[in-house]
PDB file of all heavy atoms in Angstrom:
ATOM      1  N   GLN A1412      -1.159  21.888  11.525  1.00 95.00           N
ATOM      2  CA  GLN A1412       0.023  22.079  12.322  1.00 95.00           C
ATOM      3  C   GLN A1412       0.664  23.418  12.096  1.00 95.00           C
ATOM      4  O   GLN A1412       0.939  23.804  10.973  1.00 95.00           O
ATOM      5  CB  GLN A1412       1.087  20.991  12.091  1.00 95.00           C
ATOM      6  CG  GLN A1412       2.237  21.038  13.012  1.00 95.00           C
ATOM      7  CD  GLN A1412       3.282  19.857  12.799  1.00 95.00           C
ATOM      8  OE1 GLN A1412       3.507  19.512  11.624  1.00 95.00           O
ATOM      9  NE2 GLN A1412       3.795  19.336  13.840  1.00 95.00           N
ATOM     10  N   MET A1415       2.825  27.919  16.356  1.00 88.00           N
ATOM     11  CA  MET A1415       2.227  28.488  17.578  1.00 88.00           C
ATOM     12  C   MET A1415       1.315  27.473  18.284  1.00 88.00           C
ATOM     13  O   MET A1415       1.291  27.450  19.543  1.00 88.00           O
ATOM     14  CB  MET A1415       1.445  29.750  17.220  1.00 88.00           C
ATOM     15  CG  MET A1415       2.323  30.898  16.803  1.00 88.00           C
ATOM     16  SD  MET A1415       3.334  31.462  18.146  1.00 88.00           S
ATOM     17  CE  MET A1415       2.106  32.029  19.324  1.00 88.00           C
ATOM     18  N   LEU A1420      -6.415  18.809  15.890  1.00 91.00           N
ATOM     19  CA  LEU A1420      -7.383  18.009  15.146  1.00 91.00           C
ATOM     20  C   LEU A1420      -8.535  18.890  14.725  1.00 91.00           C
ATOM     21  O   LEU A1420      -9.104  19.649  15.465  1.00 91.00           O
ATOM     22  CB  LEU A1420      -7.938  16.895  16.055  1.00 91.00           C
ATOM     23  CG  LEU A1420      -9.062  16.037  15.425  1.00 91.00           C
ATOM     24  CD1 LEU A1420      -8.459  15.154  14.333  1.00 91.00           C
ATOM     25  CD2 LEU A1420      -9.695  15.172  16.512  1.00 91.00           C
ATOM     26  N   TYR A1423     -12.797  14.478  12.290  1.00 92.00           N
ATOM     27  CA  TYR A1423     -12.504  13.111  11.850  1.00 92.00           C
ATOM     28  C   TYR A1423     -13.796  12.364  11.506  1.00 92.00           C
ATOM     29  O   TYR A1423     -14.854  12.731  11.939  1.00 92.00           O
ATOM     30  CB  TYR A1423     -11.686  12.364  12.931  1.00 92.00           C
ATOM     31  CG  TYR A1423     -12.367  11.922  14.184  1.00 92.00           C
ATOM     32  CD1 TYR A1423     -12.807  10.616  14.332  1.00 92.00           C
ATOM     33  CD2 TYR A1423     -12.450  12.803  15.291  1.00 92.00           C
ATOM     34  CE1 TYR A1423     -13.367  10.218  15.562  1.00 92.00           C
ATOM     35  CE2 TYR A1423     -13.000  12.354  16.424  1.00 92.00           C
ATOM     36  CZ  TYR A1423     -13.435  11.089  16.579  1.00 92.00           C
ATOM     37  OH  TYR A1423     -14.016  10.665  17.781  1.00 92.00           O
ATOM     38  N   SER A1475      -8.759   3.702  19.935  1.00 62.00           N
ATOM     39  CA  SER A1475      -7.534   4.572  19.902  1.00 62.00           C
ATOM     40  C   SER A1475      -6.304   3.742  20.185  1.00 62.00           C
ATOM     41  O   SER A1475      -5.247   4.232  20.279  1.00 62.00           O
ATOM     42  CB  SER A1475      -7.639   5.709  20.910  1.00 62.00           C
ATOM     43  OG  SER A1475      -7.756   5.150  22.227  1.00 62.00           O
ATOM     44  N   TYR A1476      -6.482   2.414  20.356  1.00 70.00           N
ATOM     45  CA  TYR A1476      -5.299   1.501  20.457  1.00 70.00           C
ATOM     46  C   TYR A1476      -4.638   1.388  19.118  1.00 70.00           C
ATOM     47  O   TYR A1476      -3.554   0.762  19.053  1.00 70.00           O
ATOM     48  CB  TYR A1476      -5.763   0.188  20.998  1.00 70.00           C
ATOM     49  CG  TYR A1476      -6.119   0.215  22.507  1.00 70.00           C
ATOM     50  CD1 TYR A1476      -7.460   0.295  22.816  1.00 70.00           C
ATOM     51  CD2 TYR A1476      -5.213   0.181  23.522  1.00 70.00           C
ATOM     52  CE1 TYR A1476      -7.839   0.335  24.179  1.00 70.00           C
ATOM     53  CE2 TYR A1476      -5.522   0.206  24.810  1.00 70.00           C
ATOM     54  CZ  TYR A1476      -6.865   0.287  25.166  1.00 70.00           C
ATOM     55  OH  TYR A1476      -7.247   0.351  26.487  1.00 70.00           O
ATOM     56  N   GLU A1478      -2.766   2.737  15.840  1.00 88.00           N
ATOM     57  CA  GLU A1478      -1.937   3.864  15.449  1.00 88.00           C
ATOM     58  C   GLU A1478      -2.575   4.554  14.268  1.00 88.00           C
ATOM     59  O   GLU A1478      -3.358   4.024  13.470  1.00 88.00           O
ATOM     60  CB  GLU A1478      -0.507   3.413  15.053  1.00 88.00           C
ATOM     61  CG  GLU A1478      -0.489   2.500  13.809  1.00 88.00           C
ATOM     62  CD  GLU A1478       0.912   2.106  13.454  1.00 88.00           C
ATOM     63  OE1 GLU A1478       1.633   2.827  12.883  1.00 88.00           O
ATOM     64  OE2 GLU A1478       1.238   0.896  13.797  1.00 88.00           O
ATOM     65  N   GLN A1479      -2.204   5.865  14.139  1.00 91.00           N
ATOM     66  CA  GLN A1479      -2.671   6.672  13.040  1.00 91.00           C
ATOM     67  C   GLN A1479      -1.539   6.733  12.038  1.00 91.00           C
ATOM     68  O   GLN A1479      -0.363   6.923  12.421  1.00 91.00           O
ATOM     69  CB  GLN A1479      -3.114   8.038  13.487  1.00 91.00           C
ATOM     70  CG  GLN A1479      -4.379   7.960  14.361  1.00 91.00           C
ATOM     71  CD  GLN A1479      -4.876   9.353  14.698  1.00 91.00           C
ATOM     72  OE1 GLN A1479      -4.487  10.377  14.093  1.00 91.00           O
ATOM     73  NE2 GLN A1479      -5.857   9.402  15.645  1.00 91.00           N
TER      74      GLN A1479
ATOM     75  N   GLN B1092       0.595   7.054  23.129  1.00 93.00           N
ATOM     76  CA  GLN B1092       1.405   6.744  21.987  1.00 93.00           C
ATOM     77  C   GLN B1092       2.490   7.803  21.820  1.00 93.00           C
ATOM     78  O   GLN B1092       2.305   8.929  22.179  1.00 93.00           O
ATOM     79  CB  GLN B1092       0.592   6.626  20.703  1.00 93.00           C
ATOM     80  CG  GLN B1092      -0.624   5.654  20.855  1.00 93.00           C
ATOM     81  CD  GLN B1092      -1.361   5.523  19.483  1.00 93.00           C
ATOM     82  OE1 GLN B1092      -0.834   5.663  18.403  1.00 93.00           O
ATOM     83  NE2 GLN B1092      -2.655   5.232  19.584  1.00 93.00           N
ATOM     84  N   TYR B1094       4.982   9.405  18.790  1.00 96.00           N
ATOM     85  CA  TYR B1094       5.190   9.624  17.355  1.00 96.00           C
ATOM     86  C   TYR B1094       6.449  10.383  17.053  1.00 96.00           C
ATOM     87  O   TYR B1094       6.861  11.204  17.918  1.00 96.00           O
ATOM     88  CB  TYR B1094       3.987  10.310  16.686  1.00 96.00           C
ATOM     89  CG  TYR B1094       2.743   9.471  16.566  1.00 96.00           C
ATOM     90  CD1 TYR B1094       1.939   9.195  17.691  1.00 96.00           C
ATOM     91  CD2 TYR B1094       2.374   8.975  15.347  1.00 96.00           C
ATOM     92  CE1 TYR B1094       0.779   8.494  17.577  1.00 96.00           C
ATOM     93  CE2 TYR B1094       1.195   8.242  15.157  1.00 96.00           C
ATOM     94  CZ  TYR B1094       0.439   7.995  16.314  1.00 96.00           C
ATOM     95  OH  TYR B1094      -0.748   7.277  16.148  1.00 96.00           O
ATOM     96  N   GLN B1096       8.351  12.894  14.074  1.00 97.00           N
ATOM     97  CA  GLN B1096       8.153  13.657  12.806  1.00 97.00           C
ATOM     98  C   GLN B1096       9.482  14.213  12.333  1.00 97.00           C
ATOM     99  O   GLN B1096      10.105  15.063  13.016  1.00 97.00           O
ATOM    100  CB  GLN B1096       7.186  14.779  13.031  1.00 97.00           C
ATOM    101  CG  GLN B1096       6.895  15.599  11.800  1.00 97.00           C
ATOM    102  CD  GLN B1096       5.918  16.753  12.017  1.00 97.00           C
ATOM    103  OE1 GLN B1096       5.869  17.313  13.092  1.00 97.00           O
ATOM    104  NE2 GLN B1096       5.109  17.059  11.014  1.00 97.00           N
ATOM    105  N   HIS B1104       4.231   6.657  13.731  1.00 95.00           N
ATOM    106  CA  HIS B1104       4.011   5.984  15.027  1.00 95.00           C
ATOM    107  C   HIS B1104       5.247   5.190  15.419  1.00 95.00           C
ATOM    108  O   HIS B1104       5.848   4.470  14.651  1.00 95.00           O
ATOM    109  CB  HIS B1104       2.809   5.002  14.863  1.00 95.00           C
ATOM    110  CG  HIS B1104       2.476   4.305  16.101  1.00 95.00           C
ATOM    111  ND1 HIS B1104       2.980   2.984  16.347  1.00 95.00           N
ATOM    112  CD2 HIS B1104       1.776   4.622  17.226  1.00 95.00           C
ATOM    113  CE1 HIS B1104       2.503   2.616  17.547  1.00 95.00           C
ATOM    114  NE2 HIS B1104       1.798   3.550  18.101  1.00 95.00           N
ATOM    115  N   LEU B1107       3.249   2.229  21.364  1.00 93.00           N
ATOM    116  CA  LEU B1107       2.046   2.468  22.178  1.00 93.00           C
ATOM    117  C   LEU B1107       2.186   1.703  23.478  1.00 93.00           C
ATOM    118  O   LEU B1107       2.622   0.568  23.542  1.00 93.00           O
ATOM    119  CB  LEU B1107       0.844   1.936  21.425  1.00 93.00           C
ATOM    120  CG  LEU B1107      -0.580   2.014  22.104  1.00 93.00           C
ATOM    121  CD1 LEU B1107      -1.651   2.154  20.995  1.00 93.00           C
ATOM    122  CD2 LEU B1107      -0.909   0.873  22.990  1.00 93.00           C
ATOM    123  N   ASP B1151      -5.328   9.160  24.114  1.00 80.00           N
ATOM    124  CA  ASP B1151      -6.769   9.064  23.634  1.00 80.00           C
ATOM    125  C   ASP B1151      -7.617  10.019  24.412  1.00 80.00           C
ATOM    126  O   ASP B1151      -7.314  10.345  25.535  1.00 80.00           O
ATOM    127  CB  ASP B1151      -7.252   7.591  23.818  1.00 80.00           C
ATOM    128  CG  ASP B1151      -7.107   7.157  25.247  1.00 80.00           C
ATOM    129  OD1 ASP B1151      -6.171   7.505  25.934  1.00 80.00           O
ATOM    130  OD2 ASP B1151      -7.977   6.271  25.669  1.00 80.00           O
ATOM    131  N   GLN B1158     -14.406   8.427  20.525  1.00 59.00           N
ATOM    132  CA  GLN B1158     -13.678   7.163  20.256  1.00 59.00           C
ATOM    133  C   GLN B1158     -12.743   7.383  19.037  1.00 59.00           C
ATOM    134  O   GLN B1158     -13.118   7.946  18.083  1.00 59.00           O
ATOM    135  CB  GLN B1158     -14.715   6.061  19.913  1.00 59.00           C
ATOM    136  CG  GLN B1158     -15.559   5.695  21.058  1.00 59.00           C
ATOM    137  CD  GLN B1158     -14.679   5.073  22.196  1.00 59.00           C
ATOM    138  OE1 GLN B1158     -13.824   4.265  21.936  1.00 59.00           O
ATOM    139  NE2 GLN B1158     -15.028   5.465  23.417  1.00 59.00           N
ATOM    140  N   ASN B1160     -10.158   9.137  18.681  1.00 75.00           N
ATOM    141  CA  ASN B1160      -9.430  10.376  18.563  1.00 75.00           C
ATOM    142  C   ASN B1160      -8.207  10.399  19.460  1.00 75.00           C
ATOM    143  O   ASN B1160      -8.165   9.810  20.521  1.00 75.00           O
ATOM    144  CB  ASN B1160     -10.377  11.529  19.014  1.00 75.00           C
ATOM    145  CG  ASN B1160      -9.744  12.864  18.904  1.00 75.00           C
ATOM    146  OD1 ASN B1160      -8.779  13.040  18.167  1.00 75.00           O
ATOM    147  ND2 ASN B1160     -10.250  13.856  19.558  1.00 75.00           N
ATOM    148  N   LYS B1165       2.800  19.244  21.963  1.00 88.00           N
ATOM    149  CA  LYS B1165       3.432  20.147  21.064  1.00 88.00           C
ATOM    150  C   LYS B1165       4.777  19.597  20.625  1.00 88.00           C
ATOM    151  O   LYS B1165       5.494  20.189  19.773  1.00 88.00           O
ATOM    152  CB  LYS B1165       3.586  21.532  21.657  1.00 88.00           C
ATOM    153  CG  LYS B1165       2.249  22.284  21.714  1.00 88.00           C
ATOM    154  CD  LYS B1165       2.420  23.728  21.965  1.00 88.00           C
ATOM    155  CE  LYS B1165       1.106  24.469  21.825  1.00 88.00           C
ATOM    156  NZ  LYS B1165       1.206  25.969  22.046  1.00 88.00           N
TER     157      LYS B1165
END
Side-chain angles (χ1 to χ4, degrees):
Chain A
Q1412 187 177 38
M1415 289 297 294
L1420 176 69
Y1423 74 99
S1475 63
Y1476 290 97
E1478 66 180 280
Q1479 293 186 11
Chain B
Q1092 303 184 31
Y1094 286 76
Q1096 183 180 31
H1104 180 263
L1107 179 152
D1151 55 327
Q1158 293 297 315
N1160 182 22
K1165 289 196 173 180

